[in-house]
Amino acid sequence: MGVKCSLHQNLYEKAEVLQKVVGAGFGSMVSLFCLFFYVLSGFICSSKLVPVSQYVGTVLVCLLGVACLRGWGRWKNSEYVQFVSILEETKQNHTPGNKVRKLSKAGVSLLKPEPRLRGAADNILNSVRTLPCHIISFLIVHSFGRRMLYPGSVRLLQKAMKSLLDQGRNKLVEEFDGQRNKLVACDGNEIDTMFVDRRRDRGENGQTLVICCEGNAGFYEIGCMNTPLEGGYSVLGWNHPGFVGSTGIPFPQNEANAMDVVIQFAVHKLGFQLSDIVIYAWSIGGFTASWAVMSYPEIQSLVLDASFDDLLPLALKVMPSNWRPLVQYTVRHYINLNNAEQLLKYQGPVLLIRRTRDEIITTADTEDIMSNRGNDLLLKLLQFRYPKIMTDEGIRVVRQWLAASNHIEEMSVYSGYEVDDDWCSSVLQSYQADRDVLFPWSVGEDMTLEGRRQLALFLARKYMRNFESTHCTPLPASEFHSPWRL
């Protein structure tokens, strides 16, 4: 018995040494456990009959002492005090904007292509068979491929535009009191941003923050940021990884990581709620914009200007036809800009702006407006949200409306089907009021063919606006509208 008691005494002494080494947190808990074990064993091995209450009282006094020591240690720890204050503030003001993500260096999540189901043997054989394709794709993407996709990351172009970019940045700071900040994304890339605060202005637009996502050769200094600025909005612009002021390479994962830190900055440093934020993107910026609303569904709305549904058809357009399998593999595994797939995850208001003379995101001749991939983005969105309306006939009449290259032709198609805007609005509002459900809706299920045609055209006109210009023409502030909502 004496051997056992001395063993417990040694344990207690070792715990005291451990506490001195690792601090009051973990060591105190170990010492408390050993103390309790020591007292209990002492009670068992003692030859004297000592009241149990004495041992219980001793343990309670030790517990109280440890709690006081731990509380004092935490009170003296500045990091712990800061943590508690943030926790209490979040509890008192528990909103979606208070969400902070804990991210690994791998970055935020992206939608991945669905893998084909194969057996173990087939997987091994397929890996061996596609190895050359994998190596070639890797070399293409990391050499000229990414530079073709994002020419703004080419140093030679950045040097040529340096004076112009400096002038644009100085103008934002001097005329609009812009604030430049460098944000560090979860992958370590530095993201150059510019914030213009209009909340102190009398205009209502200033209370809304427009986060701008530039094109593949766009910079916030001279890019689409100027459109909402002219409209009186608070604006936050940022440059892609690898563009002027930002580090890294503009691969999809890095792009999403950058978008994430920009949104976190807007919420936790600038003080905007997600419901006060509009995402506005031009061209290839539609990828990060659609990722943002997919990942932060509380965002107020989304405006996509001259954007597309999927990169693959556009990549196939500019590459040799006999490269098709290689292009498909490269896009899907390295630069999968799947805008439509991400957009379908968002339930909020969306506005698509189509350039009627767009020469960049078309897959055929510039004059063929039906090859504009913005059409496919609209159709995929409407088919997902209103599947009972967008049947074969609904798709046909919307395509007829999309074929109109100017306002007169557009209105001719619209009036030809005698679309009653008031009736369409009332039908949709009634459906929403009765069910208040998420998309997809079943509205139009028990409706006449004529009614579904009217609703299809009505919705197409609400979700998309035409702007008669080419791809790179700056969008006037008068064409920047809030998306339609019921």
Side-chain angles (χ1 to χ4, degrees):
M1 297 288 278
V3 174
K4 289 184 179 179
C5 291
S6 61
L7 175 62
H8 300 321
Q9 177 67 34
N10 290 336
L11 283 173
Y12 179 73
E13 292 173 355
K14 290 180 180 179
E16 286 186 320
V17 175
L18 178 62
Q19 178 178 347
K20 293 179 182 178
V21 174
V22 302
F26 176 74
S28 62
M29 299 305 294
V30 173
S31 63
L32 178 61
F33 172 79
C34 293
L35 176 63
F36 179 78
F37 196 66
Y38 165 68
V39 172
L40 183 62
S41 62
F43 172 75
I44 295 173
C45 65
S46 175
S47 59
K48 298 180 179 180
L49 296 176
V50 181
V52 176
S53 60
Q54 181 177 345
Y55 292 99
V56 173
T58 304
V59 171
L60 291 176
V61 169
C62 291
L63 281 172
L64 180 62
V66 169
C68 292
L69 286 173
R70 185 174 61 178
W72 181 81
R74 288 179 173 179
W75 177 67
K76 298 294 290 182
N77 189 322
S78 59
E79 292 184 0
Y80 184 80
V81 172
Q82 183 182 11
F83 163 74
V84 171
S85 64
I86 293 174
L87 179 62
E88 290 300 320
E89 181 182 354
T90 303
K91 286 181 178 179
Q92 295 174 6
N93 185 25
H94 187 63
T95 63
N98 282 330
K99 294 188 297 185
V100 179
R101 300 180 171 211
K102 185 177 181 180
L103 301 171
S104 66
K105 290 186 178 180
V108 298
S109 60
L110 296 176
L111 295 179
K112 302 293 185 181
E114 294 186 4
R116 295 180 180 179
L117 298 177
R118 300 175 183 271
D122 289 341
N123 280 330
I124 296 173
L125 291 174
N126 184 65
S127 298
V128 173
R129 183 174 59 84
T130 59
L131 181 60
C133 185
H134 181 82
I135 295 173
I136 296 172
S137 296
F138 180 87
L139 294 175
I140 289 175
V141 168
H142 287 81
S143 56
F144 66 87
R146 69 174 180 86
R147 292 174 175 83
M148 287 179 60
L149 188 60
Y150 287 94
S153 64
V154 177
R155 298 300 177 191
L156 185 62
L157 177 63
Q158 294 178 14
K159 289 182 179 180
M161 299 181 64
K162 185 179 184 305
S163 61
L164 186 61
L165 295 174
D166 289 342
Q167 291 176 15
R169 190 182 307 113
N170 293 336
K171 179 181 177 180
L172 290 170
V173 173
E174 295 169 4
E175 295 186 16
F176 297 97
D177 196 24
Q179 305 167 24
R180 189 183 186 190
N181 295 279
K182 291 288 187 77
L183 313 181
V184 180
C186 59
D187 52 18
N189 287 335
E190 293 185 359
I191 306 303
D192 189 13
T193 68
M194 181 66 71
F195 171 57
V196 176
D197 194 351
R198 295 284 185 77
R199 284 175 288 189
R200 296 181 180 179
D201 296 353
R202 295 181 179 179
E204 182 180 351
N205 288 349
Q207 306 307 311
T208 299
L209 176 68
V210 178
I211 298 180
C212 299
C213 304
E214 299 289 347
N216 64 353
F219 306 86
Y220 72 70
E221 291 89 343
I222 56 173
C224 66
M225 184 175 174
N226 289 301
T227 298
L229 268 181
E230 293 176 7
Y233 293 90
S234 294
V235 183
L236 176 60
W238 59 283
N239 281 339
H240 297 282
F243 282 42
V244 171
S246 296
T247 62
I249 300 174
F251 285 130
Q253 184 65 66
N254 297 343
E255 288 279 295
N257 295 342
M259 183 79 258
D260 186 72
V261 75
V262 168
I263 294 175
Q264 292 289 327
F265 174 71
V267 172
H268 298 288
K269 295 299 182 181
L270 302 182
F272 287 91
Q273 298 296 317
L274 288 173
S275 57
D276 296 325
I277 296 176
V278 174
I279 307 294
Y280 167 49
W282 173 62
S283 191
I284 209 170
F287 172 74
T288 47
S290 57
W291 179 90
V293 295
M294 174 187 71
S295 304
Y296 294 88
E298 302 91 353
I299 284 174
Q300 182 187 125
S301 59
L302 171 68
V303 179
L304 296 178
D305 176 20
S307 197
F308 52 87
D309 63 323
D310 187 4
L311 177 64
L312 183 57
L314 299 173
L316 291 172
K317 166 193 171 183
V318 298
M319 301 303 288
S321 59
N322 55 346
W323 284 29
R324 186 181 184 89
L326 179 61
V327 173
Q328 289 178 326
Y329 186 90
T330 303
V331 169
R332 290 294 178 239
H333 287 80
Y334 291 101
I335 45 177
N336 190 32
L337 305 187
N338 49 346
N339 300 355
E341 188 180 2
Q342 295 183 148
L343 180 59
L344 300 188
K345 305 293 183 182
Y346 179 55
Q347 294 283 325
V350 177
L351 174 63
L352 308 178
I353 301 174
R354 182 181 67 163
R355 307 297 183 97
T356 58
R357 300 196 303 275
D358 201 312
E359 73 284 13
I360 301 298
I361 62 168
T362 54
T363 54
D365 192 277
T366 306
E367 300 299 324
D368 182 13
I369 195 172
M370 287 307 294
S371 70
N372 188 312
R373 295 304 299 189
N375 301 335
D376 300 87
L377 185 58
L378 173 68
L379 289 170
K380 289 177 181 179
L381 180 61
L382 294 182
Q383 284 178 275
F384 172 77
R385 292 191 170 191
Y386 313 97
K388 304 301 181 183
I389 296 173
M390 295 301 294
T391 57
D392 291 343
E393 184 62 19
I395 295 172
R396 186 190 68 80
V397 296
V398 170
R399 284 188 177 277
Q400 188 178 348
W401 178 79
L402 288 170
S405 59
N406 56 59
H407 182 68
I408 296 175
E409 293 180 4
E410 177 187 335
M411 291 308 300
S412 176
V413 174
Y414 202 75
S415 59
Y417 286 95
E418 300 179 348
V419 180
D420 186 341
D421 288 358
D422 293 335
W423 177 81
C424 292
S425 294
S426 66
V427 169
L428 295 171
Q429 288 171 356
S430 176
Y431 179 90
Q432 184 184 49
D434 292 343
R435 296 164 181 79
D436 192 24
V437 294
L438 299 177
F439 295 115
W441 287 6
S442 60
V443 61
E445 189 172 17
D446 300 321
M447 192 173 290
T448 64
L449 185 61
E450 180 185 357
R452 290 200 298 270
R453 286 172 180 165
Q454 287 194 46
L455 283 172
L457 288 171
F458 174 81
L459 290 168
R461 193 160 175 251
K462 292 299 183 183
Y463 276 89
M464 175 176 278
R465 286 176 174 266
N466 282 327
F467 177 45
E468 297 184 18
S469 73
T470 57
H471 186 80
C472 296
T473 303
L475 186 73
S478 58
E479 296 292 332
F480 184 83
H481 304 281
S482 296
W484 168 76
R485 62 178 71 223
L486 280 172

